[in-house]
Amino acid sequence: MAVTNTLDIAVIGAGAMGSVFGAHLSKSARVVLVDTWRKQVEAINRQGLQVERLDGDASAFALPATTGADRLDTRVDVAIIFTKSAATMA
């Protein structure tokens, strides 16, 4: 029997840095983005996360997003926080 150890990661803050890191981490782990900006969360859930590189090439990443850590449907192994210090409490 093969054992698969998949890491569950919550990226808190789906701004520029959180989105880029979340997208790339989702290639090898289960990632959920957590952000308080409801419209962005809804857009990510509807059409995926769009990441455009400097050369103009773009990729879409299908990963879930939610508006609060209390809405996660599972426990995570790692939480990475990408918020401005003033937004950490929210």
Side-chain angles (χ1 to χ4, degrees), residues 20-43:
V20 167
F21 274 81
H24 290 290
L25 286 168
S26 74
K27 294 176 185 178
S28 59
R30 286 188 295 255
V31 176
V32 61
L33 298 174
V34 181
D35 201 282
T36 57
W37 188 16
R38 183 173 303 282
K39 287 180 91 169
Q40 180 167 332
V41 166
E42 290 170 354

